[in-house]
Amino acid sequence: SRSSAASDVYKRQITMRSTAYTSDPAENGGYSTTAMGTAIRYGVAAVDPRVIPLGTRLYIEGYGYARAEDTGGAIKGNRIDLVFGSKSQSNNWGRRTVRVTILN
């Protein structure tokens, strides 16, 4: 018998196209804070709030835990933009398709 606990934790998974950015205001239209007013830092994801509401906790394969705290002009539909601590990490991530698990 399957445990219902797993379905409670993993509400749903979405396959998304991901990109990466850093907290450098030059990459963020001059901003140093997210759409929610928090600091742009590792663990922040920019999303389309019609797909993933702001404040949602996420798990992104290959990245780890994140929270949907930011938005972006190019982030529409099943797109997610993840913050990395350095330009080299961001460049290494590049563009990739990832599975995103909605945690809450």
Side-chain angles (χ1 to χ4, degrees), residues 34-76:
T34 68
M36 289 183 70
T38 57
I40 297 173
R41 66 202 182 282
Y42 190 91
V44 164
V47 298
D48 181 340
R50 292 169 306 181
V51 176
I52 297 175
L54 289 178
T56 302
R57 287 176 38 248
L58 308 167
Y59 182 80
I60 296 107
E61 70 174 344
Y63 181 85
Y65 292 95
R67 192 160 174 238
E69 295 182 12
D70 209 1
T71 58
I75 309 304
K76 299 281 183 247

Side-chain angles (χ1 to χ4, degrees), residues 6-60:
S7 61
D8 290 342
V9 175
Y10 302 112
K11 287 204 168 54
R12 65 188 177 113
Q13 288 190 329
I14 312 174
T15 299
M16 303 187 88
R17 291 285 300 148
S18 73
T19 50
Y21 68 116
T22 72
S23 61
D24 182 348
E27 288 185 52
N28 304 308
Y31 291 100
S32 57
T33 56
T34 68
M36 289 183 70
T38 57
I40 297 173
R41 66 202 182 282
Y42 190 91
V44 164
V47 298
D48 181 340
R50 292 169 306 181
V51 176
I52 297 175
L54 289 178
T56 302
R57 287 176 38 248
L58 308 167
Y59 182 80
I60 296 107

